[in-house]
């Protein structure tokens, strides 16, 4: 049977991806340019017995998805820059309480209200450094409607697998563009559910490291009673200030991601085998970059593209290797150098890193990138 | 009235010495001994349970 | 016969963190007695709080307990209740937590009329941070941040809840211990969002600064200012000056949120 094909908007694909992953709960607050995610799920979730709720503010929406997840539902919220700033408080809560949730954050111009309908890629640092304290961060940056669907599924998988919040961050262009999408059949993409406890309720501890760095998570109302707090906690979930326990717990939480980088980090290498100039890009900017690389090749310039699909954890190892192979790196991005800083850090001075920055609400076009390729080749 | 005396158990490690039980006992059964409550006059107890009810610290159990 | 509180308290968690004479322990006992009367199943009951002295309450109780972030109890609880409407959900917290930083969540939970109970332990102060004034600190009172007396007017929590749409609103005090569980029982039995405000005392950070000589004086003040609803009906506004009315202040039947959402699901499945 032929697969279902549709002409879909990015945000709609994110919503469909969430449903494919088994999302049963959405809480949100209206914000441009992410509202279509909420709109689709307000219609689709109740059809499958799922729940949609529009909350009183961004913080409440984040709180509700954490509550819903603790009660056993795969949960999603969607927002954009100013909303992400508000949600940071409880993103930290989800990190320390180790609660799987997915946040779709559509990147618009900022700071503050900025340019609500203009695209940007300037929330990528917020995804890692936005909430206070040390914590794990996973952030996926899809570049097409198809990928937004698939990466939303993967975001749920990573959230469930590592018991941590995961962000999917399309820029406004990817979120609002319409493209052909081929829906995967049920079972075609892997769908991961959190590990349920194997011990009886009286032996259950919500952060029992006997079961590894990602302890099983029971649901409220499933026969298991336990305590959840935003304070530093012990294996039984109760607060502690014992130095050794706090240190070990903090390190374990970060290690959940750091020790699994190869499982989490995804990227695409395009024409890099013999490349002398490598463009490192993500999201819609990577589409312009691919076009520019193709044009450069036509003109005899050995250019290639390293496309970042997982922004956090950052593909350090790959960028480091790339920087010792090429003469120069180019980092086009719709912000004033956030990815560039990371690439420069990973390059360790082995190759110069040339940024192309745009924050005027216009996409970076292939011509700009091609000009830079020619300039630095 | 039942002549059998009640037992008033004071869990000293819970008692924070707030005086509430002493002050609100209508028959002055309890007193403060240092920083914790203590039974002074059990015979006067009328088993009203006010001390147990009002103790904020779960430190008093009255068994009639 | 002594009431067996231990049946509901997690082993090894007492003594609690509250100061000598703090009424929070009295409220917790009232809540436990209410739960016992109602026969709520431990596995099917979530107790949710925010941050502050009062919000430490859930940690002591042997239920599904969720100690959230400052002010966010009602919002987290809404998520739990939506995901599992069959669960009993009870929020607890202080006046600053619930009506300042959590004020928006509080009023919207009232408006939605989602079936849960919110217990506000109102001691008129931010205790845990050392006694700063809250939205419930009376005008003129001293707090660590109102050294010249509080210029702010105070919220009436019960009126706020009624105005926002809560369908059951009651008020008690830490002095009137036997009334606490009765009010909570009625609140939990009510189908909709119920608010129980318990006027409480903070001897350490409020009493000390406001010329209360002892815990007993604070407790006696609660006794003196409380007027039961029935008695208040016969009193003039002048006579009610400086008093607070206690008992069930408001009750109405209105569609409950999770039940309404169940209808949304039916309509969606039916394609309407």
């Amino acid at each position: 049977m032929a697969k279902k094909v549709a002409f879909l908007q990015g945000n709609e694909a994110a919503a469909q991806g969430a449903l494919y992953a088994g999302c049963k709960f959405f809480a949100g607050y209206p914000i441009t340019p992410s509202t279509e995610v909420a709109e689709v799920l307000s219609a689709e979730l109740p059809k499958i017995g799922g729940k949609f709720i529009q909350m009183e503010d961004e913080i409440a929406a984040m709180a509700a998805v954490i509550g819903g997840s603790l009660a056993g539902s795969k949960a999603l919220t969607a927002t954009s820059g100013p909303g992400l700033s508000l949600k940071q408080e409880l993103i930290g809560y989800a990190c320390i309480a180790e609660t799987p949730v997915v946040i779709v954050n559509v990147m618009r111009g900022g700071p503050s209200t900025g340019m609500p309908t203009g695209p940007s890629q300037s929330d990528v640092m917020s995804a890692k450094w936005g909430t206070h304290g040390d914590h794990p961060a996973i952030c996926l940056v899809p570049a097409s409607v198809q990928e937004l669907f698939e990466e939303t599924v993967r975001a749920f998988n990573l959230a469930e697998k590592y018991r941590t919040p995961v962000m999917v961050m399309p820029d406004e262009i990817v979120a609002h563009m319409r493209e052909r999408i081929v829906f995967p059949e049920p079972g075609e993409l892997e769908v991961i559910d959190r590990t349920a406890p194997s011990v009886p309720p009286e032996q259950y501890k919500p952060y029992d490291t006997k079961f590894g760095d990602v302890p099983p998570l029971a649901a409220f109302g499933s026969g298991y009673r336990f305590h959840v707090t935003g304070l530093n906690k012990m294996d039984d979930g109760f607060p502690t200030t014992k130095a050794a326990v706090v240190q070990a717990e903090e390190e374990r939480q970060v290690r959940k991601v750091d020790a699994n980088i190869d499982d989490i980090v995804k990227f695409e290498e395009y024409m890099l085998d013999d490349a002398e100039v490598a463009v490192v890009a993500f999201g819609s900017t990577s589409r312009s970059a691919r076009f520019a690389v193709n044009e450069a090749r036509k003109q005899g310039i050995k250019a290639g593209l390293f496309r970042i699909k997982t922004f956090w954890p950052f593909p350090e190892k790959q960028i480091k290797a790339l920087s010792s192979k090429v003469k120069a790196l180019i980092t086009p991005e719709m912000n004033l150098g956030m990815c560039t800083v990371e690439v420069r850090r990973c390059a360790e001075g082995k190759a110069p890193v040339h940024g192309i920055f745009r924050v005027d609400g216009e996409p970076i076009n292939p011509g700009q990138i091609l000009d830079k390729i020619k300039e630095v080749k | 009235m039942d002549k059998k005396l009640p037992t008033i158990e004071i869990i000293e490690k819970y008692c924070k010495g707030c005086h509430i039980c002493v002050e609100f006992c209508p028959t002055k059964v309890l007193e403060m001994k240092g920083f914790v409550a203590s039974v002074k006059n059990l015979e006067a107890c009328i088993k009203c349970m006010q001390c147990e009810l009002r103790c904020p610290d779960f430190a008093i159990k009255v068994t009639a | 016969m002594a009431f067996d509180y231990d049946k509901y308290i997690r082993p090894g968690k007492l003594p609690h963190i509250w100061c000598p004479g703090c009424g929070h322990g009295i409220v917790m006992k009232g809540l436990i007695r209410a739960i016992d009367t109602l026969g709520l199943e431990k596995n099917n009951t979530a107790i949710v709080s925010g941050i502050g002295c009062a919000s430490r309450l859930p940690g002591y109780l042997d239920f599904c307990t969720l100690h959230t972030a400052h002010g966010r109890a009602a919002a987290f609880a809404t998520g739990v209740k939506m995901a599992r409407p069959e669960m009993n959900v009870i929020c607890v917290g202080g006046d600053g937590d619930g009506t300042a930083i959590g004020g928006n969540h509080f009023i919207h939970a009232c408006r939605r009329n989602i079936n849960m109970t919110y217990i506000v332990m109102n001691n008129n102060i931010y205790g845990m941070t050392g006694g700063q004034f809250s939205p419930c600190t009376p005008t003129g009172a001293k707090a660590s941040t109102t050294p010249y007396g509080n210029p702010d007017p105070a919220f009436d929590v019960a009126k706020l809840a009624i105005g926002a749409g809560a369908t059951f609103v009651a008020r008690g005090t830490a002095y009137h211990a036997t009334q606490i569980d009765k009010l909570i029982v009625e609140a939990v039995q009510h189908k909709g969002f119920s608010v129980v405000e318990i006027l409480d005392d903070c001897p350490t950070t409020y009493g000390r600064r406001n010329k209360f000589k002892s815990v007993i004086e604070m407790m006696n003040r609660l006794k003196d200012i409380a007027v039961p609803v029935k008695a208040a009906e016969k009193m003039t506004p002048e006579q009610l000056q400086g008093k607070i009315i206690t008992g069930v202040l408001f009750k109405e039947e209105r569609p409950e949120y999770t039940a309404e959402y169940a209808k949304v699901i039916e309509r969606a499945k039916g394609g309407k």
Side-chain angles (χ1 to χ4, degrees):
Chain A
M1 203 176 90
K3 282 186 186 175
K4 197 182 153 204
V5 175
F7 188 60
L8 219 61
Q9 186 209 49
N11 280 336
E12 293 167 355
Q16 293 297 337
L19 293 167
Y20 186 96
C23 173
K24 288 280 159 29
F25 185 64
F26 179 94
Y29 183 82
I31 185 164
T32 303
S34 76
T35 41
E36 295 86 355
V37 180
E39 286 169 352
V40 171
L41 290 172
S42 71
E44 296 304 317
L45 276 172
K47 286 185 193 167
I48 54 165
K51 314 285 169 63
F52 168 93
I53 187 166
Q54 186 169 305
M55 294 298 285
E56 56 274 14
D57 59 37
E58 294 281 359
I59 303 171
M62 193 63 214
V65 293
I66 297 170
S69 181
L70 287 170
S73 291
K74 286 189 179 179
L76 175 75
T77 186
T79 190
S80 183
L84 182 66
S85 293
L86 288 162
K87 282 178 156 59
Q88 293 292 2
E89 174 199 356
L90 297 184
I91 289 170
Y93 188 95
C95 289
I96 198 166
E98 300 182 61
T99 312
V101 286
V102 177
I103 302 132
V104 171
N105 176 73
V106 180
M107 291 188 281
R108 73 188 219 190
S112 189
T113 312
M115 217 185 307
T117 54
S120 115
Q121 297 178 311
S122 56
D123 295 348
V124 286
M125 284 296 177
S126 291
K128 185 169 173 65
W129 307 111
T131 194
H132 64 279
D134 288 296
H135 57 88
I138 301 177
C139 171
L140 314 179
V141 282
S144 69
V145 172
Q146 182 80 40
E147 201 168 81
L148 187 39
F149 179 103
E150 290 166 4
E151 290 294 271
T152 303
V153 176
R154 194 164 77 93
F156 272 95
N157 289 346
L158 294 172
E160 296 281 317
K161 190 172 178 182
Y162 296 114
R163 269 186 79 172
T164 195
V166 175
M167 300 193 204
V168 185
M169 287 208 184
D171 53 68
E172 185 273 342
I173 295 173
V174 174
H176 272 165
M177 67 164 69
R178 287 184 179 274
E179 281 186 321
R180 181 177 187 266
I181 175 172
V182 183
F183 285 101
E185 300 283 347
E188 189 179 333
L189 297 184
E190 186 184 26
V191 169
I192 298 172
D193 294 327
R194 65 193 69 173
T195 308
S198 54
V199 297
E202 61 277 12
Q203 287 168 28
Y204 178 67
K205 291 177 181 174
Y207 308 98
D208 195 345
T209 50
K210 189 166 74 194
F211 299 96
D213 279 349
V214 189
L217 177 60
F220 279 177
S222 69
Y224 287 77
R225 294 195 297 279
F226 55 102
H227 186 61
V228 179
T229 177
L231 289 161
N232 281 104
K233 80 282 179 190
M234 302 177 283
D235 59 355
D236 60 3
F238 289 94
T240 185
T241 51
K242 276 188 192 137
V245 178
V246 173
Q247 177 87 15
E249 275 291 286
E250 284 278 309
E251 286 177 0
R252 177 181 62 77
Q253 284 163 42
V254 172
R255 191 166 63 232
K256 290 193 296 184
V257 165
D258 283 357
N260 293 289
I261 284 177
D262 289 340
D263 181 47
I264 302 166
V265 168
K266 272 195 166 187
F267 53 89
E268 182 196 350
E269 290 172 305
Y270 180 70
M271 295 198 173
L272 282 177
D273 286 347
D274 63 342
E276 290 172 354
V277 179
V279 183
V280 181
F282 61 101
S284 66
T285 307
S286 69
R287 299 166 72 114
S288 294
R290 189 186 308 270
F291 194 97
V293 164
N294 288 339
E295 285 302 306
R297 287 275 170 178
K298 279 182 207 161
Q299 296 175 27
I301 304 167
K302 288 180 178 169
L305 167 68
F306 184 92
R307 183 164 75 86
I308 295 171
K309 288 176 75 171
T310 307
F311 200 95
W312 301 115
F314 200 74
E316 285 189 31
K317 200 167 64 179
Q318 292 77 13
I319 300 288
K320 193 173 174 176
L322 183 64
S323 62
S324 30
K325 266 173 51 180
V326 296
K327 283 188 201 157
L329 294 153
I330 297 172
T331 47
E333 52 184 329
M334 287 187 281
N335 61 54
L336 294 178
M338 295 181 180
C339 182
T340 305
V341 166
E342 281 301 300
V343 172
R344 214 165 258 154
R345 180 176 66 80
C346 298
E348 294 172 332
K350 288 189 216 107
V353 181
H354 305 275
I356 303 172
F357 309 140
R358 232 179 149 159
V359 287
D360 59 355
E362 294 293 324
I364 293 177
N365 60 52
Q368 271 183 286
I369 302 170
L370 184 61
D371 288 348
K372 188 63 90 178
I373 292 173
K374 287 181 185 165
E375 185 189 316
V376 306
K377 73 169 178 355
Chain B
M1 200 211 254
D2 188 357
K3 289 278 183 270
K4 215 180 133 202
L5 290 176
T7 336
I8 304 178
E9 184 195 353
I10 294 175
I11 306 163
E12 293 195 0
K13 64 174 182 176
Y14 291 174
C15 177
K16 290 173 184 161
C18 71
H19 291 241
I20 286 178
C21 59
V22 173
E23 295 292 332
F24 290 108
C25 171
T27 54
K28 305 291 169 213
V29 171
L30 302 158
E31 65 175 344
M32 293 305 294
K33 217 173 213 174
F35 289 108
V36 294
S38 164
V39 180
K40 175 178 70 176
N41 183 13
L42 189 62
E43 282 75 20
C45 179
I46 55 167
K47 302 164 200 171
C48 68
M49 316 296 276
Q50 287 289 310
C51 56
E52 181 189 302
L53 187 72
R54 292 185 187 281
C55 171
D57 298 305
F58 298 77
I60 305 185
K61 284 179 185 171
V62 181
T63 313
Chain C
M1 216 25 221
F3 185 91
D4 185 15
Y5 293 101
D6 295 341
K7 199 172 131 190
Y8 298 96
I9 291 177
R10 287 179 164 131
K13 295 297 172 195
L14 290 179
H16 54 60
I17 63 158
W18 299 315
C19 299
C22 168
H24 291 354
I26 299 170
V27 181
M28 181 157 87
K29 289 168 92 170
L31 172 61
I32 292 172
R33 292 193 304 275
I35 285 171
D36 188 71
T37 303
L38 290 158
L40 302 187
E41 198 199 322
K42 288 180 176 181
N43 283 335
N44 202 36
T45 302
I47 303 179
V48 186
S49 68
I51 292 292
C53 297
S55 287
R56 284 304 187 95
L57 189 151
Y60 303 112
L61 300 183
D62 188 15
F63 295 87
C64 302
T65 54
L66 182 52
H67 176 225
T68 75
H70 201 17
R72 316 298 173 215
F76 275 77
T78 298
V80 172
K81 186 73 182 173
M82 281 297 277
R84 286 191 193 260
E86 71 279 12
M87 280 190 94
N88 311 300
V89 179
I90 298 168
C91 295
V92 295
D95 45 305
D97 183 60
T99 67
I101 193 165
N104 203 30
H105 312 310
F106 181 75
I107 59 172
H108 285 273
C110 292
R111 172 181 63 84
R112 260 178 223 117
N113 196 33
I114 188 161
N115 193 16
M116 59 172 82
T117 299
Y118 197 122
I119 301 168
V120 182
M121 294 147 82
N122 180 2
N123 59 6
N124 314 103
I125 203 83
Y126 286 97
M128 190 163 268
T129 45
Q132 298 74 29
F133 77 97
S134 87
C136 298
T137 302
T139 306
K142 293 275 177 67
S144 72
T145 47
T146 56
Y148 309 107
N150 181 23
D152 283 31
F155 264 143
D156 178 323
V157 176
K159 276 187 188 165
L160 177 69
I162 295 166
T167 50
F168 179 98
V169 179
R171 189 192 280 135
T173 85
Y175 172 83
H176 301 87
T178 46
Q179 190 188 30
I180 296 171
D181 42 319
K182 294 187 179 74
L183 295 176
I184 296 172
V185 165
E186 211 178 324
V188 173
Q189 282 171 337
H190 176 78
K191 199 167 161 58
F193 192 76
S194 51
V195 175
V196 181
E197 180 193 13
I198 305 292
L199 295 181
D200 213 336
D201 66 312
C202 177
T204 305
T205 75
Y206 186 84
R208 211 160 45 87
R209 286 194 179 87
N210 289 284
K211 297 190 175 139
F212 285 97
K213 290 191 189 73
S214 66
V215 168
I216 309 308
E217 199 182 312
M218 296 191 85
M219 283 289 167
N220 280 328
R221 181 184 157 271
L222 290 173
K223 178 174 75 174
D224 295 342
I225 63 170
V227 179
V229 177
K230 281 266 183 277
E233 281 167 3
K234 298 179 195 119
M235 290 165 73
T236 64
E238 290 73 32
Q239 289 170 317
L240 283 170
Q241 198 65 252
K243 302 285 185 188
I244 53 115
I245 303 171
T246 56
V248 177
L249 306 180
F250 182 78
K251 191 173 178 173
E252 71 168 4
E253 298 300 320
R254 197 154 63 74
E256 188 276 323
Y257 194 79
T258 58
E260 289 304 298
Y261 198 83
K263 292 179 196 164
V264 168
I265 291 175
E266 287 311 307
R267 290 200 293 273
K269 284 181 172 171
K272 287 172 203 161

